[in-house]
Amino acid sequence: MAEGAPMLPNGRDSDYWHQLAQRHWLKSSSKAKKVKTEVVKREIWDVLEEENFFHTSLLALEGLQLLESYLWPGFEDGSTNYHVLLIAILITTKARENLPTWDVLVNDPARFSSLFRRVLAMSLDKSLSGNVRTHLLCFLISAFRSLDNGFLRKECAPLVSISIWHNLASELTRERRLEENGHLRRAWRASSKRYEAADDAGKARLRFERSWLYTLIIDFVDRLYGLQKDDVVYCEYFLEFLTDLESQLPTRRYLNTLLDDINILPLIRLSPTFNASDNGLLRDLYILFRHFLSFPVNDHTGEQYTQDESYDMHCKHLAQLQRVALKYFKDKLTILALSNYGTIDQRDELEGHLKQLTDEELQELCTILHFRTTYPPESGILVTRELLTETMLAAYERRKTFQEALSHMSVLPTESSLYEESLLRNETYDGSRPLAIPKINLQYLTTGDFLWRSFILHRCEQFFEIRRYLEDIIKRLQPTEDRSSSNVCFDGFSRMALPITKPAILEAAPPRVGHDQPAYVRAEITLNVSRLADSVRRDWDSMRPEDTIFLIAVHAPNDSRMLMNGHNSHSSMQQSGMSILRVAEVVQLLDENGRPVRQPAHDQVNGYEPRPRIRRLIVNLDGATFQADTQRKEKGMPDVYESVNLAVRRNKRENNFKKVLETIRNLAVSEVPIPLWLREVFLGFGDPTAATHTNLPNRLNLIDLQDTFTDWQHVVDSFPEKIIEPSTGQEAGFGPPYVLENEAKQSLAVSRSSKKRRREESEPEPKPTPNTESIKVSTYQTPSCGPYSGDTPKRNQIHFTPVQVEAITSGTQPGLTVIVGPPGTGKTDVVTQIISNIYHDFPSQRSLLVAHSNQALNQLFQKITHLNIDGRHLLRLGQGEAELETDESYSTSGRVESFLQNRAYYLAEVDRLAANLNAPGAHGSSCETAGYFNSVYVEPKWQRFWYEAELASSSTADILSLFPFHHYFQTAPQPLFPLDASKDTTLDIARGCQRHIQKLFTELEDIRPFEILRNNRDKTNFLMIKEARIIAMTSTHAAMRRQEIADLGFHYDNVVMEEAAQITEVENFIPFALQNPQNGERSLQRIVLCGDHLQNSPIISNMAFRQFANLEQSLFLRLVRLGVPTINLDAQGRARPSIADLYKWRYQSLDNLPSVLAESEYLHANAGFRYEYQFIDVPDYKGKGETQPSPHFIQNLGEAEYAVAIYQYMRLLGYPASKTSILTTYSGQRALIRDVLTHRCSGNRLFGMPRIVTTVDKYQGEQNDYIILSLVRTTRPGYLRDLRRLTVALSRARLGLYILGRRSVFETATEFAQAFKLPLQRPANLMLTTGEMHPTERLLNDDPGSTEMVGVEHLGQYVYEMTQAKVKMLKEGTGMLPPQESELVLDIDGGDDLGERVEDEEGTENGLDGVKEEELDDIT
């Protein structure tokens, strides 16, 4: 052992594995490493087995590339079992860490198949230890979760095919199943023919495949009854395995019948292992397994049974039981046969009836009812009366449907639900045991199944977040016991919490019809705000109706008076200090005089504002919880509200959990239909291309792309593989707009036999001859809209690439469009053009625009406002509208106000028209009178004009004399009619004038409802459901307001979703369901999803939900995994080509736009730096590398000092602070960098503060010219092993990227080989070019020589000397200070602001004006 080497807990020192790797597989050699059996057995396997496969050792071996560099390259058919087991164990280690699992294995299908067969065989080997078999089972679990991989699907599919029905109890049972569906009989015959046609080896393989799963299940049952402690973990994983198989339609289709035949649920429930008191996890896993086993879905068609259909089937089974009882056991079961269904489907009642039968009679009854009553002798399963009884009870008792269960699940936490054992188990998840929570995977059984899983997981995640938040608040408050009064006092402080006295219950309203709980429970809480700072009090005063507040009973440490509610004294709840939790919803906030508190309140007298003392908070308590509390109180238990002593609020952005969970639950319990064209693709089975426009019957053959193309050559360039032809009667070269018509000239595609299933993607297929298509292009004359400049439509000026045009065309067509947009490829411009095309091509359709963040949504919405789209048809919902950088307000109130403002302008125009026509009367007094004026005066004038103007005999002069609105159009650019205009031109101008006037009256007609409606709410509702055609909202707003929006009758036809890869699946789904079905269907015409699954996924903080449940998977990523066709944008215009090379390996065919190859800023070097990007090796600083002051709060002082020194250096050279961002991978490092910046730069005119200091995760979607990136870790890569996060980190910079990290950590890991290949070729120390100021004239490829900075101390000293020189120049009057910039450091999507905004009140920009001599001394 190397001296001083760190010891892994309970395992070998870290140097042991590193030295072993260096000796055998990491040593540099061009020859393939030959696997040595003794190394595998003695130096690896025996060591791991001795330490019981300690996870840290497995992580070390995985990081040292044991699998990629040694085991897999050396695997062959003759490899030892230890070799195979090590491969399987390392695969499970990768899966546990959520790393790419199968990429390294599937490059050789033949060897992978051999390995997989070896694993299957060894999984049945009873001589292996329980720990080893558990690892093999985890390997199989991971395999069946990755069926999107063709190689795995090929190996796994036969194991769950119809051939496993050979293991059913009898042929009669099998025949009954085959008769249920005609295709089952065909599948069975095909399976039999395949077996008969195979040779001896093939038959042996098929026999193994059909018996493998059955043998594994029987072995599992045997272990349940074996009472071996080591088998408990294996049994837990096996239940997870069965649950995974049951939760996907392709794997459950035939397995469900086998499990039902084996009587798996009764066997598990009666086992000693299940009933052991300390096996709570096994029981929770059983409940989850039972849910999926009995899920109401047709296993063969995928149709979900309604609640009525499920109950009818249940009654049918009970009727069969009664008929059998009356026919064969009339003497003993007559009462059962004559009882109503509601009686005999109760477990206790049915068990009482069955007690009348003898053991032999009970077995006979089960046989008649087709239940299995015998098992193979080798299975060791004994058929007892208890088992037969449990089989009958499990089959005929009525269980709640998942909809009924969800309806009774509260979305509001209490102390009991927050501290449930299952929830606490999720928090301590480390991958060593499974969890009893559903998973988000490739497929769902039904839409209801998807929503059920989503509700359970999001509820658990929200409760976890709430508990962690409340515990932190209580910890900050430092509760202690006042010995004199025995009350709880709070020695600490939190701005989010206030001590209170017990709430006063004002009213408990009678229950609504059909309910047994109070309709609402009104309570009053008194808040003492007299001692709060003004900013904190204003936060409390900002509470609004429907906000959620937490009422808590807090006890002091070691307080034995707390209400235990069944928890023992050592529970986590007692340790947290929380004994009672109730959630209330704000109704109204009143001052001490009972008046509503309105923000802001200015009751100043002589400049003095009296300090408020009391706030009265009126709230609604949860009716069901209050009823349960009242019932407990009636039984003599303490009143929980007497002990409540704390009110806690949350940030509004985080406190929307109640409405979001209610939305998911309401959708889950209702039978939500999704469009038929999308259903199978969404659920994950069927043809993944079925929802694209090319396969839909309503595909548009003729499509008007409006101003997508700038000219004819742009059209030709956009379709390089197609023939572009002008339409009949036109010559090539005409200008926009362009209408495209696809015509297939030749079809030579290879047809496939209908008798064969589609071959797996792992098998080569004949390449079809591509269709030769021509596109006919036509145009039309854009009608003149009027003589004013505002009447001229806005035109697109972007020269879209061919792939962007493909995306725009697909998005304009009906169906599903999935657009993958790598960094800087213009996906926002593509989405904007799609929306514009839909708006103009389909005037009667309405579009819903959704994004994850307000920032992304506002960026997209602002671009839309610059298009040729009428502002009255745009609407932005949600609070983020206030951040829009537009001249007009697009909120509901802003739009209503805009309509009313336009009304005044348009009515004045009507008065001008009346004066033009000498029409007496107050025609401009209202929209109604204006409409009357139009029909009586204006329209007849136009009719008379056109009748005479269109006569063949009419000349231009005649037309001018006939034109009735010369006076009205005097305000237009003159002359209105050019003197040399032809007759056609003159008529065209007249038509434009008519359209201008028609638009005036059309808009007044649209404004008229706002004139009639008096209630502001009615006006905003009318605006949303009738007037707006493009409605934008965040996914969170859609989830919160779904029911309210749907109840208004809101209707839309299209959904366009930006940042789709950053949104959880249920947040992706809710925007599809914001409208109530019409005729049982939703009328969605098209769905456009735009995102990048190779960048960050949705942020899930809890590892159990993120890794085990896969809650971070978005719908976008799942569709990509399923093989849904995607359009991959392939040209970036953000970064220098050399910087784009750092991440382009993640994207196929990513190229550069001409702008980044030709524009000056991309061609010139970064002043003062030798390279535009560099990976700078940062050694230990003051003897330390990474540190961890608290769990997951990781810091690195050396990198923080280095990052700030680089920033100071850039500022001294003249780089703008706003063009520089400092990013890091950990929030702890972000806090440390801010501290260093505050110490060295805040308030310093020479430096100032950078615009943004934040984490990589929060910076996705943003960019800046120069990025300083701190990787933090010095022992292992950490979070960056997720390549999506690394992709985000490397793609934020436009012109300069400077990476700070420990090279030795990142240069050996295979995941980073491509990403850091180029940076690692450059020097490890920062290379500077002296004598330059920003901007420089030096070209990027020039070599001016450089100065090496050896360590952070060297750079710090250099920056110090530069600063002194700069200050000296300023004192001598020969230098200039940089321009004054804001010192507000932004943290994207929240966080605390650092520093204060510094404004230059005297307006000075440079020089020493206003800067004192002592301030210059302070700078140094």
Side-chain angles (χ1 to χ4, degrees):
M1 181 184 301
E3 185 177 354
M7 286 289 295
L8 301 176
N10 303 320
R12 293 274 173 169
D13 62 283
S14 57
D15 274 358
Y16 173 83
W17 299 116
H18 186 75
Q19 293 169 6
L20 184 69
Q22 290 293 340
R23 287 199 308 270
H24 297 292
W25 64 85
L26 289 185
K27 55 186 178 181
S28 57
S29 174
S30 58
K31 296 181 180 179
K33 284 81 174 175
K34 185 175 181 181
V35 174
K36 298 178 181 179
T37 304
E38 62 274 11
V39 173
V40 171
K41 175 65 172 66
R42 285 187 295 200
E43 298 189 52
I44 303 178
W45 177 264
D46 289 347
V47 174
L48 290 173
E49 190 174 37
E50 179 185 351
E51 59 187 40
N52 200 26
F53 302 97
F54 185 58
H55 184 62
T56 307
S57 293
L58 295 176
L59 277 180
L61 289 172
E62 192 279 325
L64 291 168
Q65 307 170 48
L66 173 61
L67 178 64
E68 297 89 341
S69 301
Y70 193 62
L71 294 179
W72 179 241
F75 174 77
E76 54 190 21
D77 290 343
S79 296
T80 64
N81 286 345
Y82 300 110
H83 192 152
V84 174
L85 289 171
L86 282 174
I87 291 178
I89 289 172
L90 287 172
I91 285 293
T92 61
T93 303
K94 281 181 173 289
R96 178 172 167 178
E97 293 298 310
N98 212 26
L99 297 172
T101 305
W102 303 102
D103 297 349
V104 67
L105 300 186
V106 296
N107 56 2
D108 191 333
R111 285 200 304 142
F112 176 73
S113 180
S114 174
L115 171 71
F116 196 82
R117 291 285 153 180
R118 293 278 297 276
V119 171
L120 291 178
M122 295 175 73
S123 67
L124 302 177
D125 188 352
K126 295 184 179 181
S127 65
L128 296 176
S129 67
N131 198 347
V132 173
R133 292 192 70 184
T134 299
H135 279 290
L136 292 174
L137 187 57
C138 290
F139 176 92
L140 295 170
I141 290 172
S142 181
F144 275 92
R145 287 194 66 186
S146 305
L147 295 181
D148 53 317
N149 186 299
F151 299 101
L152 285 167
R153 190 164 62 245
K154 181 180 178 181
E155 299 297 332
C156 294
L159 303 176
V160 289
S161 68
I162 196 172
S163 63
I164 64 174
W165 281 8
H166 280 280
N167 302 290
L168 295 180
S170 65
E171 290 188 10
L172 178 61
T173 302
R174 184 166 59 246
E175 286 299 318
R176 288 178 52 247
R177 296 290 186 178
L178 294 176
E179 290 174 0
E180 293 177 358
N181 197 312
H183 86 272
L184 293 177
R185 177 76 64 182
R186 293 191 294 272
W188 179 257
R189 288 173 180 167
S191 174
S192 300
K193 289 180 180 179
R194 190 160 51 249
Y195 178 80
E196 293 169 0
D199 56 16
D200 291 342
K203 288 181 178 179
R205 179 183 177 120
L206 292 173
R207 284 195 299 270
F208 175 81
E209 289 173 347
R210 71 193 188 193
S211 63
W212 173 79
L213 187 54
Y214 175 77
T215 306
L216 210 59
I217 294 171
I218 296 300
D219 175 71
F220 159 68
V221 175
D222 185 51
R223 288 173 179 270
L224 285 174
Y225 286 81
L227 293 177
Q228 295 294 323
K229 187 174 182 180
D230 293 342
D231 287 340
V232 173
V233 176
Y234 175 85
C235 292
E236 290 170 350
Y237 272 111
F238 196 85
L239 270 180
E240 180 197 354
F241 177 56
L242 290 181
T243 303
D244 284 354
L245 296 180
E246 283 289 307
S247 64
Q248 299 186 89
L249 202 61
T251 52
R252 96 178 246 129
R253 182 168 285 125
Y254 305 112
L255 174 62
N256 208 33
T257 299
L258 179 62
L259 292 175
D260 187 50
D261 178 74
I262 294 174
N263 301 323
I264 189 68
L265 291 179
L267 286 171
I268 297 173
R269 181 164 180 164
L270 296 176
S271 67
T273 304
F274 177 87
N275 291 288
S277 59
D278 55 348
N279 289 341
L281 175 58
L282 185 71
R283 288 187 286 274
D284 289 343
L285 287 165
Y286 165 83
I287 294 172
L288 182 64
F289 170 60
R290 184 181 64 186
H291 163 83
F292 281 108
L293 190 68
S294 57
F295 193 85
V297 61
N298 187 311
D299 294 334
H300 307 292
T301 65
E303 294 292 334
Q304 179 177 314
Y305 298 123
T306 65
Q307 295 191 58
D308 290 340
E309 289 172 339
S310 297
Y311 185 67
D312 289 343
M313 293 169 61
H314 173 67
C315 293
K316 182 179 178 181
H317 293 154
L318 291 176
Q320 182 192 22
L321 171 64
Q322 289 182 320
R323 288 194 297 269
V324 170
L326 191 61
K327 181 176 181 179
Y328 295 99
F329 305 97
K330 185 175 181 179
D331 294 339
K332 296 185 177 182
L333 297 181
T334 300
I335 296 178
L336 183 150
L338 300 179
S339 298
N340 60 62
Y341 295 153
T343 300
I344 61 174
D345 64 4
Q346 302 300 312
R347 173 174 277 265
D348 293 339
E349 289 289 334
L350 182 56
E351 188 174 9
H353 289 299
L354 296 178
K355 286 181 180 178
Q356 306 297 321
L357 302 177
T358 64
D359 293 354
E360 293 76 13
E361 290 172 332
L362 181 59
Q363 184 166 355
E364 182 184 356
L365 174 61
C366 288
T367 302
I368 296 171
L369 292 171
H370 307 294
F371 294 113
R372 181 191 282 263
T373 57
T374 60
Y375 294 88
E378 63 272 13
S379 67
I381 299 176
L382 300 177
V383 179
T384 61
R385 180 185 182 90
E386 189 179 19
L387 176 60
L388 295 175
T389 301
E390 182 60 33
T391 300
M392 293 285 292
L393 296 176
Y396 294 109
E397 70 172 327
R398 186 171 188 267
R399 300 189 187 95
K400 290 181 179 179
T401 64
F402 76 91
Q403 295 99 328
E404 293 171 334
L406 281 182
S407 298
H408 291 89
M409 292 184 70
S410 175
V411 299
L412 299 176
T414 64
E415 72 282 357
S416 300
S417 59
L418 281 192
Y419 289 92
E420 286 180 359
E421 183 182 358
S422 58
L423 197 62
L424 296 177
R425 195 185 296 128
N426 297 336
E427 184 176 353
T428 58
Y429 172 75
D430 61 1
S432 61
R433 305 278 286 271
L435 294 174
I437 54 177
K439 298 177 183 177
I440 301 297
N441 204 3
L442 271 178
Q443 298 175 324
Y444 303 105
L445 301 178
T446 64
T447 308
D449 171 44
F450 158 71
L451 291 167
W452 177 84
R453 297 191 209 189
S454 299
F455 177 80
I456 297 297
L457 290 175
H458 280 269
R459 180 177 182 268
C460 289
E461 189 211 9
Q462 290 295 334
F463 283 14
F464 162 76
E465 294 286 350
I466 290 169
R467 183 167 63 82
R468 188 171 65 171
Y469 175 78
L470 295 180
E471 287 178 349
D472 179 67
I473 292 291
I474 294 173
K475 184 178 179 180
R476 291 172 183 268
L477 289 173
Q478 303 174 19
T480 58
E481 182 179 359
D482 185 349
R483 296 185 177 180
S484 60
S485 63
S486 298
N487 293 328
V488 175
C489 300
F490 299 99
D491 295 339
F493 174 76
S494 171
R495 64 186 300 144
M496 309 301 287
L498 278 178
I500 60 172
T501 57
K502 71 171 186 176
I505 308 300
L506 303 179
E507 179 186 8
R512 295 187 179 93
V513 176
H515 295 77
D516 59 355
Q517 63 193 37
Y520 62 86
V521 179
R522 191 68 46 83
E524 180 179 317
I525 303 168
T526 301
L527 305 176
N528 186 346
V529 298
S530 59
R531 297 185 177 183
L532 297 181
D534 288 343
S535 61
V536 178
R537 177 180 52 78
R538 282 193 291 268
D539 287 344
W540 282 90
D541 286 349
S542 67
M543 286 189 296
R544 291 293 177 261
E546 298 185 347
D547 283 357
T548 302
I549 190 168
F550 301 93
L551 308 178
I552 307 175
V554 178
H555 67 275
N558 301 321
D559 187 350
S560 59
R561 296 179 295 105
M562 69 169 291
L563 300 176
M564 297 307 300
N565 283 343
H567 294 271
N568 61 51
S569 59
H570 302 289
S571 69
S572 299
M573 183 171 69
Q574 186 180 17
Q575 295 173 7
S576 71
M578 185 192 315
S579 55
I580 296 295
L581 170 65
R582 295 295 179 264
V583 181
E585 192 174 78
V586 175
V587 176
Q588 195 175 23
L589 183 65
L590 308 175
D591 62 16
E592 51 194 306
N593 297 316
R595 295 176 300 186
V597 174
R598 294 183 175 88
Q599 282 288 104
H602 299 289
D603 300 329
Q604 295 188 356
V605 179
N606 296 327
Y608 171 76
E609 180 180 351
R611 178 179 292 275
R613 294 176 49 252
I614 300 296
R615 290 287 185 256
R616 295 166 53 194
L617 190 62
I618 309 300
V619 299
N620 280 339
L621 301 174
D622 180 51
T625 307
F626 179 82
Q627 184 182 38
D629 293 336
T630 304
Q631 292 172 350
R632 280 196 293 269
K633 182 180 178 182
E634 292 172 352
K635 294 179 181 178
M637 299 180 69
D639 183 358
V640 297
Y641 300 99
E642 292 283 346
S643 57
V644 170
N645 56 5
L646 187 69
V648 178
R649 62 185 178 86
R650 269 179 106 194
N651 185 291
K652 289 184 178 181
R653 184 176 297 165
E654 302 168 346
N655 210 27
N656 50 33
F657 71 95
K658 178 177 181 288
K659 288 187 174 296
V660 173
L661 291 178
E662 284 178 340
T663 293
I664 302 174
R665 185 179 64 181
N666 292 340
L667 287 173
V669 299
S670 61
E671 295 170 3
V672 181
I674 57 179
L676 287 177
W677 59 268
L678 181 65
R679 179 179 176 274
E680 289 195 355
V681 172
F682 177 81
L683 294 177
F685 48 84
D687 182 3
T689 68
T692 56
H693 71 273
T694 54
N695 293 324
L696 293 180
N698 59 340
R699 175 189 179 185
L700 303 174
N701 291 324
L702 200 68
I703 180 170
D704 185 355
L705 290 180
Q706 301 292 326
D707 57 352
T708 301
F709 304 104
T710 56
D711 53 38
W712 176 265
Q713 189 59 43
H714 189 190
V715 179
V716 175
D717 294 341
S718 298
F719 301 97
E721 297 181 357
K722 296 183 180 180
I723 302 172
I724 307 300
E725 299 176 350
S727 184
T728 306
Q730 294 179 313
E731 295 183 1
F734 51 82
Y738 298 103
V739 179
L740 307 186
E741 181 179 4
N742 285 308
E743 288 192 356
K745 285 290 186 182
Q746 187 179 9
S747 181
L748 299 175
V750 175
S751 62
R752 298 180 181 177
S753 171
S754 60
K755 297 181 180 180
K756 298 287 186 181
R757 297 180 62 184
R758 181 174 60 87
R759 293 182 181 275
E760 301 292 349
E761 59 198 58
S762 58
E763 299 181 8
E765 296 183 0
K767 293 184 178 180
T769 304
N771 293 343
T772 303
E773 289 188 357
S774 67
I775 298 179
K776 282 195 172 183
V777 183
S778 59
T779 189
Y780 54 90
Q781 183 178 358
T782 305
S784 172
C785 296
Y788 295 94
S789 59
D791 294 328
T792 304
K794 302 171 186 176
R795 294 292 181 189
N796 164 55
Q797 302 299 321
I798 299 174
H799 194 88
F800 292 111
T801 67
V803 176
Q804 288 177 323
V805 170
E806 180 187 358
I808 293 169
T809 304
S810 178
T812 309
Q813 290 272 9
L816 173 66
T817 299
V818 180
I819 304 171
V820 178
T825 51
K827 51 183 177 286
T828 303
D829 293 323
V830 169
V831 170
T832 302
Q833 190 62 35
I834 291 173
I835 294 168
S836 175
N837 289 351
I838 294 173
Y839 174 84
H840 291 287
D841 289 352
F842 309 99
S844 63
Q845 293 188 8
R846 312 177 76 214
S847 299
L848 185 66
L849 182 59
V850 181
H852 172 61
S853 65
N854 279 308
Q855 186 174 15
L857 186 63
N858 286 343
Q859 288 176 355
L860 180 57
F861 196 85
Q862 284 162 197
K863 289 196 173 187
I864 293 174
T865 61
H866 297 149
L867 298 178
N868 184 34
I869 294 177
D870 197 328
R872 62 197 175 101
H873 293 147
L874 297 175
L875 180 63
R876 170 69 164 91
L877 300 179
Q879 296 181 353
E881 188 277 336
E883 302 168 8
L884 270 176
E885 298 177 1
T886 54
D887 296 333
E888 299 182 55
S889 171
Y890 289 92
S891 65
T892 50
S893 58
R895 286 293 85 199
V896 170
E897 183 180 351
S898 175
F899 270 90
L900 297 178
Q901 290 175 350
N902 290 341
R903 171 182 177 272
Y905 169 76
Y906 291 141
L907 290 178
E909 291 295 293
V910 171
D911 285 335
R912 286 184 57 231
L913 270 174
N916 176 90
L917 299 178
N918 295 319
H923 302 293
S925 61
S926 69
C927 296
E928 183 178 5
T929 58
Y932 174 80
F933 169 70
N934 181 44
S935 59
V936 173
Y937 289 92
V938 178
E939 290 181 354
K941 285 287 186 182
W942 281 117
Q943 291 172 2
R944 192 175 307 113
F945 167 75
W946 288 115
Y947 174 77
E948 297 183 11
E950 290 180 343
L951 294 174
S953 59
S954 297
S955 65
T956 302
D958 295 335
I959 295 172
L960 293 178
S961 64
L962 291 170
F963 187 71
F965 297 101
H966 283 289
H967 179 72
Y968 175 76
F969 285 106
Q970 282 182 346
T971 57
Q974 299 296 323
L976 181 62
F977 298 96
L979 299 177
D980 57 347
S982 65
K983 178 179 178 180
D984 290 341
T985 302
T986 303
L987 289 175
D988 188 55
I989 294 173
R991 291 189 184 94
C993 293
Q994 183 181 17
R995 291 189 186 96
H996 177 88
I997 294 175
Q998 285 176 339
K999 182 182 178 183
L1000 166 67
F1001 289 103
T1002 300
E1003 297 214 7
L1004 282 171
E1005 186 64 27
D1006 290 341
I1007 294 172
R1008 186 179 178 189
F1010 299 96
E1011 189 178 70
I1012 297 172
L1013 297 170
R1014 297 302 178 190
N1015 185 285
N1016 284 333
R1017 186 177 184 85
D1018 292 339
K1019 292 178 181 178
T1020 57
N1021 290 342
F1022 179 85
L1023 171 72
M1024 186 169 68
I1025 64 176
K1026 292 294 184 182
E1027 189 64 30
R1029 287 179 51 199
I1030 298 175
I1031 303 97
M1033 66 183 76
T1034 62
S1035 56
T1036 302
H1037 185 86
M1040 292 175 59
R1041 302 294 178 184
R1042 185 263 162 193
Q1043 194 63 49
E1044 177 184 336
I1045 293 173
D1047 289 345
L1048 288 174
F1050 181 61
H1051 169 77
Y1052 55 99
D1053 306 273
N1054 315 296
V1055 174
V1056 180
M1057 195 173 296
E1058 173 72 296
E1059 295 185 322
Q1062 292 181 254
I1063 308 175
T1064 60
E1065 281 217 56
V1066 74
E1067 290 178 302
N1068 283 129
F1069 176 82
I1070 290 173
F1072 304 159
L1074 288 183
Q1075 56 186 337
N1076 291 322
Q1078 297 177 345
N1079 301 321
E1081 286 292 328
R1082 299 193 185 275
S1083 58
L1084 280 181
Q1085 299 293 314
R1086 55 181 59 77
I1087 295 173
V1088 179
L1089 303 179
C1090 188
D1092 184 3
H1093 61 290
L1094 298 179
Q1095 297 189 59
N1096 279 346
S1097 58
I1099 297 176
I1100 306 297
S1101 57
N1102 185 288
M1103 187 171 70
F1105 306 126
R1106 183 176 67 250
Q1107 294 189 2
F1108 182 84
N1110 202 26
L1111 188 57
E1112 67 173 1
Q1113 177 176 265
S1114 63
L1115 173 63
F1116 189 94
L1117 173 59
R1118 187 165 67 89
L1119 293 177
V1120 173
R1121 290 181 62 195
L1122 287 167
V1124 172
T1126 60
I1127 300 172
N1128 301 281
L1129 304 184
D1130 62 351
Q1132 71 88 22
R1134 169 189 294 175
R1136 297 184 191 268
S1138 56
I1139 293 179
D1141 288 340
L1142 301 181
Y1143 55 85
K1144 68 186 301 183
W1145 60 274
R1146 289 278 281 164
Y1147 304 94
Q1148 295 181 358
S1149 306
L1150 182 62
D1151 207 343
N1152 302 299
L1153 288 174
S1155 59
V1156 299
L1157 300 174
E1159 292 183 6
S1160 174
E1161 64 176 347
Y1162 297 105
L1163 299 178
H1164 284 84
N1166 297 336
F1169 293 94
R1170 172 64 183 86
Y1171 303 106
E1172 74 278 20
Y1173 66 83
Q1174 199 175 349
F1175 192 128
I1176 305 160
D1177 187 47
V1178 182
D1180 287 351
Y1181 180 66
K1182 297 183 179 180
K1184 291 184 179 180
E1186 68 177 68
T1187 58
Q1188 195 168 177
S1190 61
H1192 309 295
F1193 198 76
I1194 302 175
Q1195 298 180 332
N1196 186 320
L1197 180 59
E1199 291 187 16
E1201 291 281 6
Y1202 214 130
V1204 174
I1206 292 177
Y1207 168 72
Q1208 290 179 302
Y1209 173 71
M1210 295 175 69
R1211 291 289 289 144
L1212 290 171
L1213 295 186
Y1215 286 88
S1218 60
K1219 297 297 183 180
T1220 305
S1221 298
I1222 302 179
L1223 305 183
T1224 180
T1225 51
Y1226 290 88
S1227 58
Q1229 183 73 350
R1230 176 191 63 183
L1232 181 60
I1233 292 174
R1234 286 179 161 197
D1235 289 343
V1236 177
L1237 280 168
T1238 303
H1239 179 69
R1240 302 197 184 281
C1241 303
S1242 181
N1244 191 325
R1245 276 289 300 275
L1246 273 183
F1247 304 121
M1249 302 293 283
R1251 181 63 172 166
I1252 292 176
V1253 178
T1254 189
T1255 59
V1256 171
D1257 288 346
K1258 288 188 176 181
Y1259 205 58
Q1260 178 163 339
E1262 298 298 311
Q1263 65 182 36
N1264 211 340
D1265 286 358
Y1266 308 98
I1267 297 293
I1268 303 170
L1269 173 64
S1270 172
L1271 301 182
V1272 185
R1273 302 306 297 265
T1274 59
T1275 57
R1276 59 190 182 92
Y1279 290 148
L1280 276 183
R1281 293 199 71 180
D1282 185 344
L1283 292 181
R1284 295 172 298 184
R1285 182 174 283 108
L1286 181 61
T1287 303
V1288 175
L1290 297 179
S1291 60
R1292 300 305 96 195
R1294 296 180 62 248
L1295 304 176
L1297 173 64
Y1298 301 97
I1299 306 168
L1300 305 173
R1302 186 66 56 88
R1303 280 198 171 205
S1304 59
V1305 171
F1306 295 95
E1307 64 186 355
T1308 57
T1310 55
E1311 301 94 67
F1312 308 124
Q1314 292 287 342
F1316 292 141
K1317 177 182 178 181
L1318 295 175
L1320 290 174
Q1321 293 174 2
R1322 293 184 171 177
N1325 292 322
L1326 178 63
M1327 307 301 292
L1328 303 182
T1329 300
T1330 59
E1332 289 185 331
M1333 294 295 290
H1334 175 82
T1336 180
E1337 294 299 318
R1338 175 167 58 94
L1339 295 178
L1340 190 62
N1341 295 325
D1342 292 347
D1343 187 3
S1346 56
T1347 301
E1348 182 178 12
M1349 295 289 108
V1350 183
V1352 62
E1353 295 88 349
H1354 188 183
L1355 179 62
Q1357 180 64 28
Y1358 186 72
V1359 170
Y1360 173 74
E1361 293 173 358
M1362 288 182 63
T1363 305
Q1364 285 188 319
K1366 184 76 171 180
V1367 171
K1368 183 179 179 181
M1369 293 172 62
L1370 290 171
K1371 288 182 176 180
E1372 294 173 353
T1374 58
M1376 299 177 66
L1377 282 171
Q1380 182 77 49
E1381 294 191 42
S1382 166
E1383 287 210 344
L1384 183 67
V1385 179
L1386 296 185
D1387 183 8
I1388 306 299
D1389 290 339
D1392 300 326
D1393 293 334
L1394 180 66
E1396 298 180 357
R1397 187 180 297 276
V1398 179
E1399 302 294 344
D1400 188 6
E1401 297 180 357
E1402 299 187 17
T1404 59
E1405 294 184 358
N1406 294 306
L1408 293 175
D1409 295 339
V1411 181
K1412 298 179 181 179
E1413 186 78 15
E1414 56 268 23
E1415 291 177 350
L1416 291 175
D1417 294 332
D1418 291 340
I1419 287 177
T1420 57

